[in-house]
Amino acid sequence: MSLVIAIDGPAASGKGTLAKRLATHYGLPHLDTGLLYRAVAFLLLQAGDSLDDTEAAIRAAENLSARHLTDSRLRDRAMGEAASRISTVPEVREALLAWQRRFAADPAGAVLDGRDIGTVVCPSASVKLFITASAQERARRRHRELASRGESSTLEGILADIEARDARDSSRSAAPLRMADDAVKLDTTELDAAAAFDEARAIVERARATIG
């Protein structure tokens, strides 16, 4: 039986780091689905289109390919904000849904992280995790991450961005951020990366034992 691990959670909760480590541990392909939305936003901005141009956003999503996901600029803070805006467009989400489901259909399984993996993309996933942390801790993590890349930012500004993204992601009409009913919640506020991985791996192992 394939092992599909769905990992959801708000920005800077640590879900991406956990997803990559779990994928490596279990030898599974990993998809950061947020990169898809960042790439769509990036293509729009590169073409000189507005993030509010719904038709252009839909075209960009429909024409997205794997090569568009490798640009390091997709990790910039501005792209995260732009992606959050793009992700509110239902047609964009629909265009990217098939891609994500094809990825999850790998015979061995897959690890996907995002905002709606357990609720929309892979509702029948073998394991569902919802990773969270306090807004203040998430802001501190993002501030350290940006500083390590040489990007200028303030902790206060990042906290405001995170709170705005939380509100936008949770209130959008298309696939809002929420924990699936059968997901296991993991709060990483007080956990370092190693401890969070140990907790997540234990959750996965318990789920695997249950499903045989």
Side-chain angles (χ1 to χ4, degrees):
M1 179 180 292
S2 66
L3 175 63
V4 177
I5 303 175
I7 303 179
D8 293 306
S13 59
K15 64 182 183 296
T17 299
L18 271 179
K20 285 184 282 190
R21 293 192 66 174
L22 288 170
T24 298
H25 179 77
Y26 290 106
L28 298 172
H30 165 242
L31 178 63
D32 172 359
T33 63
L35 277 182
L36 303 179
Y37 297 94
R38 286 171 178 254
V40 170
F42 185 74
L43 289 174
L44 282 180
L45 296 175
Q46 285 288 93
D49 294 321
S50 168
L51 292 175
D52 297 318
D53 187 335
T54 300
E55 293 302 317
I58 295 170
R59 286 196 301 272
E62 291 174 342
N63 294 317
L64 196 67
S65 68
R67 64 184 176 84
H68 293 129
L69 306 181
T70 59
D71 196 307
S72 62
R73 289 172 291 181
L74 297 183
R75 299 290 184 182
D76 291 350
R77 178 184 176 189
M79 284 303 101
E81 280 299 298
S84 183
R85 290 174 58 184
I86 288 297
S87 68
T88 64
V89 180
E91 295 88 350
V92 169
R93 303 196 70 85
E94 187 64 29
L96 298 177
L97 180 59
W99 175 328
Q100 296 170 73
R101 286 181 170 166
R102 283 195 302 272
F103 188 91
D106 186 285
V111 180
L112 295 86
D113 71 89
R115 302 290 196 282
D116 65 342
I117 310 303
T119 54
V120 176
V121 179
C122 300
S124 299
S126 315
V127 188
K128 298 180 185 178
L129 296 170
F130 190 87
I131 312 301
T132 189
S134 70
Q136 292 76 14
E137 176 59 23
R138 288 186 283 130
R140 284 191 286 270
R141 292 173 184 172
R142 182 55 53 83
H143 187 252
R144 288 196 299 268
E145 177 189 350
L146 293 174
S148 71
R149 300 208 303 258
E151 291 190 47
S152 177
S153 63
T154 66
L155 186 60
E156 294 77 10
I158 293 174
L159 178 59
D161 287 348
I162 280 178
E163 291 176 337
R165 288 186 66 182
D166 286 352
R168 190 159 56 239
D169 291 344
S170 299
S171 62
R172 67 189 179 211
S173 59
L177 169 65
R178 69 175 182 83
M179 187 173 79
D181 293 338
D182 53 348
V184 178
K185 185 176 183 179
L186 175 57
D187 191 323
T188 67
T189 302
E190 303 294 335
L191 302 177
D192 61 18
F197 172 68
D198 287 342
E199 291 283 348
R201 184 164 53 87
I203 293 169
V204 172
E205 287 302 315
R206 287 196 295 272
R208 291 180 76 194
T210 300
I211 62 178

